[in-house]
Amino acid sequence: MQNTNKTVYINKFGIINIKSEILYREAEDDLFFFNKLNSAQKKLEQAIKLTPRHLKSIIMCGDIYFLQGKIKKALDLYLKASSIKTNAKIYASIANCYKSLNQYKLAVKYCDEALKQLSYDNLSFFSQVTELKIDSLLNLGQFNRAYLTFIQAKNILNSLSINIINNLNYDILREKIQKRKKLHNSKLRIV
């Protein structure tokens, strides 16, 4: 008979101690349902000690540090996360930390990296990263570049909003117009 109670499993980032995953999920509950930041932080720190490359724990622990105002600790964790995997959320978190530390050039750099990897499905996230970039450019005194970024974002958002509206409402509108034409051509009267 085989022992199926293993304490590790493997994902694409390497071997993860199952206890790290359990601690992450408990911390997630503590954070989102019970608002226990300190308890969640301790569990995440323990999960990271058990599995130093446990990406979810690293990112969430960074989020908690940021909420607590421990910006440099949060930045260190986000940079560690970016060495494991690159994505728009991690880069945006790094940019937000640099902006909070008044390091606006680095904030703009990481905003650009986030925007490169960002799909435009999430308009809210796109808007937040763009706003962060514009604010950092304004703090650097790069008003022309901030204005250009604003215009580009506005054009992207307008074109995406129009495409979304067309995709969602065009068929319904076309059907209503066709039904109205049929009713008009049939010369039926409601009595």
Side-chain angles (χ1 to χ4, degrees), residues 100-116:
S100 297
L101 295 170
N102 299 327
Q103 295 181 14
Y104 301 113
K105 285 184 181 181
L106 290 170
V108 170
K109 174 186 170 189
Y110 281 98
C111 283
D112 287 338
E113 290 298 322
L115 290 169
K116 283 179 194 175

Side-chain angles (χ1 to χ4, degrees), residues 122-162:
N122 189 343
L123 295 179
S124 174
F125 188 61
F126 173 78
S127 298
Q128 291 171 2
V129 173
T130 303
E131 183 180 347
L132 181 64
K133 180 179 177 181
I134 290 170
D135 191 41
S136 296
L137 288 168
L138 290 174
N139 283 306
L140 288 170
Q142 296 181 6
F143 303 113
N144 289 336
R145 193 168 162 204
Y147 181 73
L148 181 63
T149 301
F150 170 74
I151 295 300
Q152 289 171 341
K154 184 178 173 188
N155 290 337
I156 290 170
L157 289 172
N158 286 341
S159 67
L160 289 173
S161 297
I162 290 169

Side-chain angles (χ1 to χ4, degrees), residues 24 46-47 54 58 69 93 102 117 133 137 141 143 156 167 190:
Y24 168 79
Q46 187 178 1
H54 195 244
I58 294 169
S93 298
N102 299 327
Q117 295 194 359
K133 180 179 177 181
L137 288 168
F143 303 113
I156 290 170
N167 290 341
I190 298 177

Side-chain angles (χ1 to χ4, degrees), residues 8-191:
V8 294
Y9 70 96
I10 299 173
N11 72 3
K12 64 183 176 181
F13 302 117
I15 297 174
I16 295 177
N17 187 323
I18 194 71
K19 182 73 174 162
S20 293
E21 188 67 24
I22 292 168
L23 287 166
Y24 168 79
R25 291 176 189 220
E26 289 175 1
E28 194 175 40
D29 289 344
D30 286 349
L31 179 63
F32 295 119
F33 297 114
F34 305 118
N35 200 23
K36 296 180 179 179
L37 286 168
N38 292 332
S39 174
Q41 176 190 333
K42 288 176 185 173
K43 289 176 182 175
L44 292 168
E45 288 170 348
Q46 187 178 1
I48 294 168
K49 283 181 186 173
L50 291 171
T51 309
R53 295 178 57 86
H54 195 244
L55 187 64
K56 296 186 293 188
S57 294
I58 294 169
I59 293 170
M60 187 181 290
C61 193
D63 293 344
I64 290 172
Y65 281 145
F66 190 85
L67 289 172
Q68 293 173 333
K70 301 173 183 175
I71 307 301
K72 289 184 180 181
K73 282 186 170 185
L75 178 60
D76 290 340
L77 285 175
Y78 293 138
L79 289 170
K80 181 178 180 177
S82 73
S83 71
I84 297 170
K85 181 181 180 186
T86 57
N87 68 30
K89 187 213 182 296
I90 295 171
Y91 283 141
S93 298
I94 293 169
N96 201 20
C97 287
Y98 278 129
K99 181 186 171 284
S100 297
L101 295 170
N102 299 327
Q103 295 181 14
Y104 301 113
K105 285 184 181 181
L106 290 170
V108 170
K109 174 186 170 189
Y110 281 98
C111 283
D112 287 338
E113 290 298 322
L115 290 169
K116 283 179 194 175
Q117 295 194 359
L118 187 64
S119 67
Y120 297 110
D121 296 340
N122 189 343
L123 295 179
S124 174
F125 188 61
F126 173 78
S127 298
Q128 291 171 2
V129 173
T130 303
E131 183 180 347
L132 181 64
K133 180 179 177 181
I134 290 170
D135 191 41
S136 296
L137 288 168
L138 290 174
N139 283 306
L140 288 170
Q142 296 181 6
F143 303 113
N144 289 336
R145 193 168 162 204
Y147 181 73
L148 181 63
T149 301
F150 170 74
I151 295 300
Q152 289 171 341
K154 184 178 173 188
N155 290 337
I156 290 170
L157 289 172
N158 286 341
S159 67
L160 289 173
S161 297
I162 290 169
N163 287 339
I164 290 169
I165 291 169
N166 284 340
N167 290 341
L168 296 177
N169 296 329
Y170 180 72
D171 292 332
I172 296 169
L173 185 60
R174 187 172 43 89
E175 286 177 26
K176 288 185 179 191
I177 291 171
Q178 287 176 347
K179 285 180 183 178
R180 182 166 279 181
K181 282 182 181 179
K182 283 182 183 179
L183 182 65
H184 180 70
N185 290 338
S186 69
K187 297 185 182 185
L188 292 174
R189 307 257 182 227
I190 298 177
V191 184

